[in-house]
Amino acid sequence: MQLLDTTAHPGETARMAPDVFIAWFNAHGGAFHKLLVLHERLVAAGVSCGLCFNAGPPRGLKVGADVPEAVLPELAARGIRLVSRPELVELAKSTDARLLITDAHHDADIPGVLAAAREKGRATAQLATLLGDFTCHGADHLLIQHPLTLFFEREFNRTKESARLAEARRIYYTGNIFFEPTVNGLFGGFADRAAFCAKYGYNPARPICLWLPSAPDNTPEVYGAVCEAVVKAGVNLAVKLHPWDYALKKHGPQPGDAWGLGKPSDEVFGVRAVDEPDSTWAFKFCDVAVLRTSAMSLELPFWEQPGLLLPAMVKPKLFEAQAHMARRSSVWLSGVDELRTRLKRWDMPRFESGDYAASRDVVRLPSGGPGEGDAYARTVAAIRHILDGAGKPPAFVEPGGSFAALSRSYAPHVDRMLRRALTPRRRLRYEFSRLLRTLGC
């Protein structure tokens, strides 16, 4: 199978264009390896694929910190490259691949890249990284986790880009490859839990508590209190930072890109964070995770790890509604005092495999129908369907320019808590639309 000639530079001609070219503009070292797995799955399915990552600030990878320099030649031989953002823009605009895929973050370059590809007659697609955060930049096809992604964009976030969702030819519900419990092995990884503990100085005989802070958690009353509670309980403290906090550590402060407290939160609070390439291993080996304003409550069921949820002070109804989706495998705490008590007694929730499976089936559409399998399999099936109409695709909707088609797709999944998470004005608007749908209007 022919792969993209990864020695080519902008303006040079590749030996043969791949079926798919993935241009990833906003990458972080804790999860980019999921795209390497997708690349492998595509090639195994007979789909040739080139994959390029932005390698630079503010939200790109960094050779050495994210990818060992020694593996770059091997990656290049497989059609995988790390390039500067200007190079990535030029490569994406000039690709002759049949399908161009980009990420779905807020980004100044992606709209122009997609427009250029469409002008050349190439099919375009965007791939989601989170359930409730998808920026539509005008791609022909959208590969999103769940119909509720459309709800969050159309009814909750209501960004100007959300008005473009109905322009898509087809929206596939693929699940989320970034939630799949695959670990980063580019640095060799860890043979077992003991090896992980040895690197970070944890006591292997003690449980590991994984703290997942986000920007609103950066206060002594929360961040500092959680760390103190874990340490005083004699439990191992593993801190997994937000991706853009890691970006701050790697690239330093960037003009116009403020994050948190202006310097990495682990430095602010004097704790050692897990290295970003090891963050998936922290999910694998932890015994419980603590979070407050993080959507990671939706990822924990895929790792079969219990979550302890602290009350959110920023957008509390949103985080409550999202966490409610994984309610079979997490518990709400009244506050840090209850966290202290539970940690001292090691009073942790115990969930069965069926509980985690039930949460997963809410967070992504249940398997067993068309396009069954994990998110990798569903994404590959969607890409093959885009390319050739081949195989059984995962569930999808064809908006045809109709916002009503989008609403009909996500309405069955919107429960009372999600409706109550809307602002009063948006909730009234949604309930009125819901009534009209019920009446057949």
PDB file of all heavy atoms in Angstrom, residues 1-5 15-19 43 47-50:
ATOM      1  N   MET A   1       0.851  -1.189   0.000  1.00  0.00           N
ATOM      2  CA  MET A   1       0.000   0.000   0.000  1.00  0.00           C
ATOM      3  C   MET A   1       0.884   1.236   0.000  1.00  0.00           C
ATOM      4  O   MET A   1       1.869   1.325   0.721  1.00  0.00           O
ATOM      5  CB  MET A   1      -0.897  -0.001   1.237  1.00  0.00           C
ATOM      6  CG  MET A   1      -1.822   1.172   1.330  1.00  0.00           C
ATOM      7  SD  MET A   1      -2.946   0.926   2.690  1.00  0.00           S
ATOM      8  CE  MET A   1      -3.683  -0.619   2.185  1.00  0.00           C
ATOM      9  N   GLN A   2       0.526   2.210  -0.837  1.00  0.00           N
ATOM     10  CA  GLN A   2       1.306   3.425  -0.940  1.00  0.00           C
ATOM     11  C   GLN A   2       0.961   4.381   0.197  1.00  0.00           C
ATOM     12  O   GLN A   2      -0.203   4.590   0.507  1.00  0.00           O
ATOM     13  CB  GLN A   2       1.035   4.116  -2.282  1.00  0.00           C
ATOM     14  CG  GLN A   2       1.442   3.272  -3.487  1.00  0.00           C
ATOM     15  CD  GLN A   2       2.942   3.137  -3.594  1.00  0.00           C
ATOM     16  OE1 GLN A   2       3.681   3.987  -3.117  1.00  0.00           O
ATOM     17  NE2 GLN A   2       3.394   2.064  -4.219  1.00  0.00           N
ATOM     18  N   LEU A   3       1.976   4.951   0.779  1.00  0.00           N
ATOM     19  CA  LEU A   3       1.788   5.953   1.817  1.00  0.00           C
ATOM     20  C   LEU A   3       2.314   7.292   1.335  1.00  0.00           C
ATOM     21  O   LEU A   3       3.073   7.377   0.366  1.00  0.00           O
ATOM     22  CB  LEU A   3       2.528   5.557   3.101  1.00  0.00           C
ATOM     23  CG  LEU A   3       1.991   4.340   3.844  1.00  0.00           C
ATOM     24  CD1 LEU A   3       2.874   4.061   5.046  1.00  0.00           C
ATOM     25  CD2 LEU A   3       0.565   4.559   4.280  1.00  0.00           C
ATOM     26  N   LEU A   4       1.911   8.341   2.028  1.00  0.00           N
ATOM     27  CA  LEU A   4       2.419   9.670   1.720  1.00  0.00           C
ATOM     28  C   LEU A   4       3.933   9.681   1.819  1.00  0.00           C
ATOM     29  O   LEU A   4       4.524   9.137   2.741  1.00  0.00           O
ATOM     30  CB  LEU A   4       1.842  10.677   2.712  1.00  0.00           C
ATOM     31  CG  LEU A   4       2.287  12.133   2.557  1.00  0.00           C
ATOM     32  CD1 LEU A   4       1.698  12.729   1.300  1.00  0.00           C
ATOM     33  CD2 LEU A   4       1.852  12.940   3.775  1.00  0.00           C
ATOM     34  N   ASP A   5       4.578  10.316   0.839  1.00  0.00           N
ATOM     35  CA  ASP A   5       6.023  10.470   0.899  1.00  0.00           C
ATOM     36  C   ASP A   5       6.344  11.513   1.954  1.00  0.00           C
ATOM     37  O   ASP A   5       6.236  12.713   1.717  1.00  0.00           O
ATOM     38  CB  ASP A   5       6.543  10.917  -0.465  1.00  0.00           C
ATOM     39  CG  ASP A   5       8.061  11.041  -0.475  1.00  0.00           C
ATOM     40  OD1 ASP A   5       8.674  10.854   0.596  1.00  0.00           O
ATOM     41  OD2 ASP A   5       8.617  11.326  -1.540  1.00  0.00           O
ATOM     42  N   ARG A  15       4.948  10.815  -4.040  1.00  0.00           N
ATOM     43  CA  ARG A  15       4.891   9.687  -4.968  1.00  0.00           C
ATOM     44  C   ARG A  15       3.454   9.367  -5.336  1.00  0.00           C
ATOM     45  O   ARG A  15       3.111   9.188  -6.498  1.00  0.00           O
ATOM     46  CB  ARG A  15       5.545   8.458  -4.323  1.00  0.00           C
ATOM     47  CG  ARG A  15       7.042   8.571  -4.114  1.00  0.00           C
ATOM     48  CD  ARG A  15       7.613   7.192  -3.776  1.00  0.00           C
ATOM     49  NE  ARG A  15       6.974   6.604  -2.615  1.00  0.00           N
ATOM     50  CZ  ARG A  15       7.393   6.777  -1.369  1.00  0.00           C
ATOM     51  NH1 ARG A  15       8.429   7.564  -1.138  1.00  0.00           N
ATOM     52  NH2 ARG A  15       6.781   6.198  -0.367  1.00  0.00           N
ATOM     53  N   MET A  16       2.615   9.243  -4.347  1.00  0.00           N
ATOM     54  CA  MET A  16       1.220   8.922  -4.583  1.00  0.00           C
ATOM     55  C   MET A  16       0.423   9.447  -3.405  1.00  0.00           C
ATOM     56  O   MET A  16       0.800   9.242  -2.254  1.00  0.00           O
ATOM     57  CB  MET A  16       1.014   7.409  -4.722  1.00  0.00           C
ATOM     58  CG  MET A  16      -0.436   7.011  -4.976  1.00  0.00           C
ATOM     59  SD  MET A  16      -0.640   5.224  -5.191  1.00  0.00           S
ATOM     60  CE  MET A  16       0.214   4.991  -6.765  1.00  0.00           C
ATOM     61  N   ALA A  17      -0.647  10.146  -3.706  1.00  0.00           N
ATOM     62  CA  ALA A  17      -1.451  10.715  -2.629  1.00  0.00           C
ATOM     63  C   ALA A  17      -2.127   9.597  -1.852  1.00  0.00           C
ATOM     64  O   ALA A  17      -2.593   8.612  -2.434  1.00  0.00           O
ATOM     65  CB  ALA A  17      -2.496  11.655  -3.210  1.00  0.00           C
ATOM     66  N   PRO A  18      -2.214   9.728  -0.536  1.00  0.00           N
ATOM     67  CA  PRO A  18      -2.918   8.713   0.253  1.00  0.00           C
ATOM     68  C   PRO A  18      -4.427   8.880   0.107  1.00  0.00           C
ATOM     69  O   PRO A  18      -4.911   9.897  -0.392  1.00  0.00           O
ATOM     70  CB  PRO A  18      -2.459   9.020   1.676  1.00  0.00           C
ATOM     71  CG  PRO A  18      -2.237  10.507   1.668  1.00  0.00           C
ATOM     72  CD  PRO A  18      -1.694  10.813   0.305  1.00  0.00           C
ATOM     73  N   ASP A  19      -5.157   7.894   0.557  1.00  0.00           N
ATOM     74  CA  ASP A  19      -6.608   8.023   0.593  1.00  0.00           C
ATOM     75  C   ASP A  19      -7.021   9.141   1.546  1.00  0.00           C
ATOM     76  O   ASP A  19      -7.929   9.922   1.259  1.00  0.00           O
ATOM     77  CB  ASP A  19      -7.255   6.703   1.060  1.00  0.00           C
ATOM     78  CG  ASP A  19      -7.021   5.554   0.100  1.00  0.00           C
ATOM     79  OD1 ASP A  19      -7.097   5.783  -1.119  1.00  0.00           O
ATOM     80  OD2 ASP A  19      -6.752   4.435   0.572  1.00  0.00           O
ATOM     81  N   VAL A  43      -4.783   1.810   8.103  1.00  0.00           N
ATOM     82  CA  VAL A  43      -3.903   1.060   7.214  1.00  0.00           C
ATOM     83  C   VAL A  43      -4.278  -0.420   7.206  1.00  0.00           C
ATOM     84  O   VAL A  43      -4.318  -1.066   6.158  1.00  0.00           O
ATOM     85  CB  VAL A  43      -2.431   1.266   7.619  1.00  0.00           C
ATOM     86  CG1 VAL A  43      -1.508   0.346   6.828  1.00  0.00           C
ATOM     87  CG2 VAL A  43      -2.019   2.729   7.410  1.00  0.00           C
ATOM     88  N   VAL A  47      -6.874   1.362   4.036  1.00  0.00           N
ATOM     89  CA  VAL A  47      -6.991   2.783   3.733  1.00  0.00           C
ATOM     90  C   VAL A  47      -5.625   3.432   3.950  1.00  0.00           C
ATOM     91  O   VAL A  47      -5.125   3.466   5.072  1.00  0.00           O
ATOM     92  CB  VAL A  47      -8.041   3.469   4.639  1.00  0.00           C
ATOM     93  CG1 VAL A  47      -8.136   4.958   4.317  1.00  0.00           C
ATOM     94  CG2 VAL A  47      -9.401   2.798   4.480  1.00  0.00           C
ATOM     95  N   SER A  48      -4.991   3.923   2.891  1.00  0.00           N
ATOM     96  CA  SER A  48      -3.694   4.570   3.049  1.00  0.00           C
ATOM     97  C   SER A  48      -3.890   5.924   3.714  1.00  0.00           C
ATOM     98  O   SER A  48      -4.893   6.603   3.510  1.00  0.00           O
ATOM     99  CB  SER A  48      -2.994   4.726   1.697  1.00  0.00           C
ATOM    100  OG  SER A  48      -3.788   5.473   0.799  1.00  0.00           O
ATOM    101  N   CYS A  49      -2.913   6.313   4.540  1.00  0.00           N
ATOM    102  CA  CYS A  49      -3.124   7.472   5.397  1.00  0.00           C
ATOM    103  C   CYS A  49      -1.828   8.199   5.676  1.00  0.00           C
ATOM    104  O   CYS A  49      -0.823   7.586   6.030  1.00  0.00           O
ATOM    105  CB  CYS A  49      -3.752   7.011   6.723  1.00  0.00           C
ATOM    106  SG  CYS A  49      -4.103   8.339   7.886  1.00  0.00           S
ATOM    107  N   GLY A  50      -1.845   9.508   5.493  1.00  0.00           N
ATOM    108  CA  GLY A  50      -0.778  10.372   5.955  1.00  0.00           C
ATOM    109  C   GLY A  50      -1.260  11.119   7.190  1.00  0.00           C
ATOM    110  O   GLY A  50      -2.440  11.481   7.273  1.00  0.00           O
TER     111      GLY A  50
END
